[in-house]
Structures are given as C-alpha cells and as structure tokens.
Amino acid sequence: MRRFSDDFPILSQDNNGKRLVYLDNGATTQKPKQVLDAVNRYYLTENANPHRGVYDLAMRATDAHENSRATVAKFIGAPEDSVIFTQNTSEGLNLVAYSYGRAFLKPGDEVLIYVAEHHSNLVPWQWVAKTTGAELKYLYPDANGRLTVEELDAKINERTKVVAVAHVSNVLGLETPVEEIVKRAHAVGAVVVLDIAQSVAHIPLDVVKLDVDFAALSGHKIYAPMGVGALYGKKQLLEKMPPFLSGGDMIAAVHEYRTTYAEAPRKFEAGTRNVGGEVGLAAAMDYVNSVGWDTIVSQEEALIAQALEGMNALPYVQVYGEATAAGRHGVISFNIEDVHPHDVATILDSDGVCIRAGHHCAQPLMEHLGIGSCCRASFALYNTEEDVQALLKGLKHVREVMGLGS
Ligand SMILES: Cc1ncc(COP(=O)(O)O)c(C=O)c1O
C-alpha cells in the first residue's frame, strides 16, 4: 500500500497523546503540501482582482481563475464554459433550486429526491416546492440501504421534472444507480441534479458521459481549501436559467432600470471570486491525478473491506447499508449497541481516532432508519491499514470503558 502521509503535514501530530488517526474525511479532507504551496504561490505572486484590471498582475490573476476552471472542468469531464465556481456544494445545489427550480417548476410538477439526501440537497427543494406549488416526493432505500431501479420505476412519472440525488450518500456510503436514474428521468423530460460531494474524491467522474444535467461539489472534500466549490450545468440549461445572485461581474450592461447579463458561467458568478481557493482546488485535482485513480480506488476499497470485516466480527456493531465494500465509497456509518454515538466518538478521540457522530445533516434518513444519530468513519487516500486497526481496537475499547465487556 502506497503511503501519502508525508504530503499531509497535519497528520504527523498527536491527538490526545496518541497518533492522530483522521477518519472524518466525509466532513472534510486534509490538504497536501502541494495544494498549500499552490495557494501560497498565488497570493505571493499573482493576487489581484480577476476580470477587472488591465495591468499585467490583474491579467495573471484572471488567468489563474480561468486556468483553474479549465482544470476543474477536465477533472469532471465537463466543457469549461459549463463550470461555475461556487463556495461549496450547498451553494451549487441552492443555485440550481433557486434559479432552475423557481423559473421552471409549477403546480402539478414533481421533484423527486432520495430520503438519504444531505440537507443541502433537500431543504432547498422543500423551499422551491413550497414557493412554486410543485410536489416533493421521496425515493427510499431497500433493506440493504440501496436505491433500486424498482423504486425509481415506482416513483418517476410524467409529472417528474427534477430528480435530485447524491452520487454517494454521506451516511450509507453506497453509490446510487446514476445511469439508470438519468435514463428514466430523461425519458419523462426531467433534469437530474447530482450531488457529487461524497464521490468526487473517490470515483473518477465524467459528467458528460453520465449525462447528468447538473453536478455540485465542494473543494474541501477533495483535498482543497474550504470556501470553494464547483457546479456543472449543461450549457443549454445554464443559458435559459436566470441568475442566482446579482451584482458585480455577472452583467453585460447595467442601466438605471434594466440589466443584461454576462454569458454563463459568469452570469452565475456575482462578486469577487475566491481565486486563491480555486487555484487550490485545481492543485488538489492535479494532486489526485498524480496519485492516480487506480491507486486511490484500490487502496480505499481494501481499507473499507478490512474495516467492514473487523466490524462485522464485532456482534455489538451495526453497520448502516449493506456491510460490504461493493459499491461503497469512503464512508461507513454504524452504531455500537447501548452506547450513544457521542460517547463512541469521545472515547475514540481519547485513542487518537477522529470520527463523526450525529445526524450527519441527514435527519430524514435518520428518521427512516429509526435512529436519532450514528457514528461515521470516513476514509481518504492517505489512510492506512494501521488507521483501520486503530479504529477497530478503539471500538472494543469503547465497550470496555462503558462497562459492557469487549
Ligand atoms: C452528500 C453531501 N452533500 C452536500 C454536502 C454539503 O457540503 P458543503 O457543506 O461543503 O456545502 C455534504 C457535506 O457533508 C455532503 O456530504
């Protein structure tokens, strides 16, 4: 197994006197030196406000902004003019809901979403449904935690206008059948909004080949800084959508009572951009490419298989979603019998192991599963077999500390 920890200085520190084992990558990933250096270089040598100045430094800042867009577009298989820079996945999904949803949904239309959606791909659709009169309908997982083609066939109909799903659930960790979703949605004239927040660092993506209409990601979940993300939208849809936010830089011409807009993607990029973050996102994607997808996919799959094997051997651990590595990416959510998830996370922290505990911004899924919260261990390319062993040892320790045996 290749090791990447030298690229991630933060991982060399201790946590509560133990080796830091970072398994909260679904929340945010750590950043490699290559990304930090690229951001630093931008601010040390190229910073100015893009698209505004005519002097050389401003033009280099504009190049940094547009070259970053080209890198992001290439990484997800999109044309450059179909990629909008955002702050994060939430902003990308809100942009689609507010702009596309408000302009094109009407009473009688249906918006179909998965009950496992992160609140970012759920609350905006609730709001848009309420304001347009469209109806929000839910898809549910089967007993194995998988979204099935049968469930899609039962719910998609000629009233469906939007299908919004995560490529990988941030709780169940299981891939949704995107190709089947797209086929069925397009057959009834609906658009597909794909939340790729949890897949972008784990699965090589080609949004054009997948034929999704929109796809939203956060940089911080793929080794880039916080505060930068991207939204892909098919150009013909972006062209007919109204702006989301308005103001500087998204206009063609402004008169006292009338404004015309810049072409997409700039129509959707109001105000000064986070160019340093965009440079960091491009550097992060270059970093992932330099590691290579074969390495990332095979190593992460091996770690997840190893973790699941260990968890499946502990009778007091319940994993949510089929406890197999097949079709699972990055995430394992679980509970320990008779122990609150916050106690699990706190005791693991005392062993140096960082996991997430809570509802994971997926409360409708928690309700569907009949639980209030759960624990989540999530993996990145720098995790190792030792990390998995520390997690498994920690789970036994939790039982001991709680006086429940091991
Ligand atoms: C599946 C999914 N969608 C959306 C989001 C929201 O991402 P952000 O907070 O970066 O906007 C997350 C964050 O955890 C997520 O896991």
Side-chain angles (χ1 to χ4, degrees), residues 26-27 87-91 93 117-118 120-121 166 168-170 195-198 218 220-221 356 360-361 376:
Q87 291 181 65
N88 49 38
T89 305
S90 301
E91 187 190 339
L93 295 169
E117 290 314 296
H118 187 282
S120 293
N121 202 21
V168 171
S169 153
N170 65 312
D195 173 351
I196 56 174
Q198 290 295 340
S218 294
H220 70 94
K221 295 193 195 280
R356 173 90 176 266
H360 310 287
C361 300
R376 181 182 73 183

Side-chain angles (χ1 to χ4, degrees), residues 82 96 100 161 163 182 185-186 190-194 207 210-215 231-238 241:
S82 307
V96 179
Y100 185 90
K161 296 294 179 253
V163 183
V182 169
H186 288 174
V191 295
V192 175
V193 184
L194 194 65
V207 291
L210 281 176
D211 200 22
V212 293
D213 299 281
F214 299 98
L231 173 72
Y232 160 75
K234 280 185 180 162
K235 191 69 194 290
Q236 66 269 29
L237 295 175
L238 297 180
M241 284 159 56

Side-chain angles (χ1 to χ4, degrees), residues 56-391:
D56 184 63
L57 190 61
M59 288 193 275
R60 283 196 281 130
T62 302
D63 286 347
H65 171 59
E66 293 302 340
N67 292 341
S68 301
R69 191 194 310 279
T71 301
V72 173
K74 190 155 181 240
F75 189 81
I76 60 170
E80 265 173 58
D81 62 357
S82 307
V83 171
I84 299 160
F85 278 120
T86 60
Q87 291 181 65
N88 49 38
T89 305
S90 301
E91 187 190 339
L93 295 169
N94 272 276
L95 190 161
V96 179
Y98 279 62
S99 171
Y100 185 90
R102 255 192 342 188
F104 300 112
L105 291 173
K106 53 184 188 326
D109 290 345
E110 292 180 4
V111 175
L112 193 54
I113 66 174
Y114 189 24
V115 77
E117 290 314 296
H118 187 282
H119 296 163
S120 293
N121 202 21
L122 191 154
V123 181
W125 297 112
Q126 282 182 346
W127 184 85
V128 167
K130 222 172 250 165
T131 52
T132 60
E135 196 180 339
L136 193 56
K137 291 233 162 138
Y138 281 91
L139 296 159
Y140 295 93
D142 69 3
N144 291 321
R146 294 193 190 269
L147 178 55
T148 65
V149 169
E150 291 71 33
E151 175 68 357
L152 291 168
D153 285 337
K155 301 282 171 69
I156 292 185
N157 60 57
E158 70 289 347
R159 291 184 299 280
T160 311
K161 296 294 179 253
V162 173
V163 183
V165 290
H167 194 189
V168 171
S169 153
N170 65 312
V171 178
L172 299 169
L174 300 171
E175 194 173 341
T176 50
V178 180
E179 284 167 26
E180 302 298 336
I181 293 169
V182 169
K183 234 187 276 165
R184 284 159 176 77
H186 288 174
V188 297
V191 295
V192 175
V193 184
L194 194 65
D195 173 351
I196 56 174
Q198 290 295 340
S199 58
V200 68
H202 306 288
I203 304 175
L205 275 162
D206 187 321
V207 291
V208 169
K209 219 182 258 166
L210 281 176
D211 200 22
V212 293
D213 299 281
F214 299 98
L217 67 93
S218 294
H220 70 94
K221 295 193 195 280
I222 179 169
Y223 314 109
M226 291 182 177
V228 66
L231 173 72
Y232 160 75
K234 280 185 180 162
K235 191 69 194 290
Q236 66 269 29
L237 295 175
L238 297 180
E239 271 166 4
K240 66 179 193 172
M241 284 159 56
F244 172 43
L245 300 173
S246 59
D249 218 36
M250 47 74 72
I251 53 94
V254 180
H255 310 280
E256 283 192 14
Y257 296 103
R258 187 171 54 85
T259 295
T260 53
Y261 305 119
E263 280 196 21
R266 282 183 67 185
K267 176 170 70 171
F268 297 101
E269 293 179 345
T272 299
R273 313 314 301 165
N274 176 4
V275 182
E278 294 162 7
V279 167
L281 177 54
M285 289 175 166
D286 284 342
Y287 179 78
V288 167
N289 282 331
S290 75
V291 172
W293 279 114
D294 287 351
T295 302
I296 293 171
V297 170
S298 64
Q299 290 203 176
E300 289 184 355
E301 198 177 299
L303 291 183
I304 285 188
Q306 188 189 338
L308 284 171
E309 192 186 332
M311 287 177 165
N312 288 338
L314 302 174
Y316 46 81
V317 174
Q318 181 182 4
V319 171
Y320 297 102
E322 197 174 355
T324 159
R328 180 181 283 281
H329 303 275
V331 169
I332 303 174
S333 292
F334 61 95
N335 267 324
I336 294 193
E337 207 174 281
D338 298 327
V339 188
H340 192 280
H342 281 165
D343 289 332
V344 176
T346 304
I347 296 166
L348 283 177
D349 185 44
S350 72
D351 291 329
V353 180
C354 308
I355 63 152
R356 173 90 176 266
H359 56 62
H360 310 287
C361 300
Q363 285 183 315
L365 177 64
M366 297 293 119
E367 280 174 14
H368 178 76
L369 294 173
I371 54 177
S373 58
C374 62
C375 307
R376 181 182 73 183
S378 50
F379 298 82
L381 60 79
Y382 40 70
N383 288 122
T384 61
E385 287 160 343
E386 291 81 18
D387 293 348
V388 173
Q389 290 314 317
L391 170 69

